[in-house]
């Protein structure tokens, strides 16, 4: 794999061996994936993945003798996130694919298992922290006039994940148009926005992870 930056990328190969041993499909997401697609460089101390299942992953990760390791589960016992910290202090998040968007991320990764620029943008739209906004802007700067980006993919999944307004605002800001070229209908203002139906019934689930950090997880709405 081409190193996106100089140091902790060496750990990706360790995880790759673990995923391959369990015959799991996987993609690199998060800051390392963003670095692959940005116009400018930045650093990150974390490594993040999405994988197709969990299999016997916990046991294999434990063999790495990490400093921390925990499998987070839904109320019904379904695992959705493996978190930990390597012996040399690098934090890792491994998300278990559970929604169609994550399947699409796996299907559109490149030959080095790096998530596509479009997938990274969508993950960043969901998190929307200052560093996520900076990553989106830099990725769009690397694609002048959105060249090379699959805008239909972004629009479709942004709508599914209820972050379409965020995408329109940021893409318009970067393009300097004041309104997104791809917008096909105006954003719904005010309180009505929260009542806009989601095509696949996704909802945000918020909580605190094993390291005491708040997180937001997208999951299907219970019926």
């Amino acid at each position: 794999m081409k190193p996106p930056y100089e140091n902790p990328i060496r750990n990706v190969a360790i995880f790759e061996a673990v995923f391959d041993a369990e015959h799991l499909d996987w993609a690199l997401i998060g800051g390392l994936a963003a670095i692959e697609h940005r116009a400018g460089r930045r650093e990150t101390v974390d490594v993040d993945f999405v994988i197709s299942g969990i299999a016997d992953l916990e046991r294999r990760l434990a063999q790495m003798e990490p400093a921390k390791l925990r499998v987070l589960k839904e109320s019904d016992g379904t695992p959705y996130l493996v978190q930990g910290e390597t012996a040399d202090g690098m934090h890792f998040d491994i998300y278990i694919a559970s929604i169609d968007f994550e399947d699409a991320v796996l299907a559109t990764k490149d030959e080095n298992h790096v998530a596509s620029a479009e997938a990274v943008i969508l993950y960043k739209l969901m998190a929307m922290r200052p560093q996520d906004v900076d990553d989106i802007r830099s990725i769009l700067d690397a694609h002048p006039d959105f060249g090379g980006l699959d805008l239909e993919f972004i629009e479709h999944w942004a709508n599914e994940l209820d972050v379409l307004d965020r995408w329109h605002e940021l893409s318009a800001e970067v393009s300097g148009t004041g309104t997104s070229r791809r917008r096909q209908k105006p954003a719904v203002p005010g309180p009505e926005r929260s009542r806009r139906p989601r095509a696949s019934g996704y909802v945000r689930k918020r909580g605190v992870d094993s390291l005491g950090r708040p997180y937001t997880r997208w999951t299907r709405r219970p019926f």
Side-chain angles (χ1 to χ4, degrees):
M1 175 181 292
K2 183 181 74 172
Y5 72 116
E6 289 73 20
N7 191 12
I9 191 64
R10 69 184 185 276
N11 293 280
V12 173
I14 299 173
F15 289 100
E16 179 176 9
V18 171
F19 300 150
D20 288 349
E22 289 299 313
H23 307 287
L24 296 171
D25 196 5
W26 63 278
L28 182 69
I29 58 174
L32 282 179
I35 288 168
E36 282 286 296
H37 300 294
R38 285 173 53 98
R41 298 183 68 80
R42 77 164 175 89
E43 293 187 355
T44 181
V45 295
D46 299 335
V47 62
D48 305 280
F49 303 95
V50 60
I51 62 176
S52 58
I54 191 167
D56 201 16
L57 184 62
E58 184 177 6
R59 180 185 63 82
R60 289 195 181 271
L61 290 173
Q63 291 175 347
M64 295 167 49
E65 298 184 350
K68 297 178 182 178
L69 180 64
R70 182 176 181 180
V71 178
L72 301 182
K73 299 179 179 180
E74 299 281 5
S75 57
D76 64 0
T78 302
Y80 69 89
L81 174 63
V82 180
Q83 286 190 323
E85 189 175 292
T86 60
D88 58 358
M90 189 186 70
H91 180 80
F92 58 86
D93 287 332
I94 304 173
Y95 295 88
I96 316 301
S98 63
I99 59 176
D100 293 342
F101 167 64
E102 291 164 318
D103 292 337
V105 174
L106 292 170
T108 56
K109 66 184 183 298
D110 69 14
E111 65 275 10
N112 292 319
H113 288 263
V114 179
S116 69
E118 295 85 353
V120 173
I121 287 171
L122 287 156
Y123 274 119
K124 298 295 180 177
L125 287 169
M126 289 189 282
M128 210 62 174
R129 299 162 300 179
Q131 66 264 38
D132 299 309
V133 174
D134 180 68
D135 281 334
I136 294 170
R137 288 172 175 156
S138 186
I139 292 171
L140 293 180
D141 286 343
H143 295 81
D145 297 323
F146 307 105
L149 290 176
D150 185 344
L151 294 178
E152 290 186 2
F153 183 94
I154 297 175
E155 290 265 334
H156 170 76
W157 288 111
N159 183 58
E160 292 276 296
L161 296 163
D162 198 31
V163 293
L164 189 59
D165 293 340
R166 294 178 180 181
W167 164 243
H168 285 160
E169 290 166 7
L170 274 174
S171 60
E173 176 187 325
V174 171
S175 67
T177 63
T179 180
S180 172
R181 296 184 311 157
R182 298 288 300 181
R183 180 175 298 181
Q184 299 186 7
K185 59 182 179 180
V188 180
E192 293 183 9
R193 179 180 303 174
S194 64
R195 297 198 295 270
R196 178 157 50 86
R198 301 176 180 87
S200 293
Y202 294 154
V203 294
R204 295 179 179 91
K205 177 182 291 186
R206 292 181 171 87
V208 177
D209 66 24
S210 58
L211 300 182
R213 304 178 311 174
Y215 73 91
T216 300
R217 171 168 165 73
W218 265 246
T219 187
R220 288 196 180 277
R221 180 188 300 278
F223 293 104

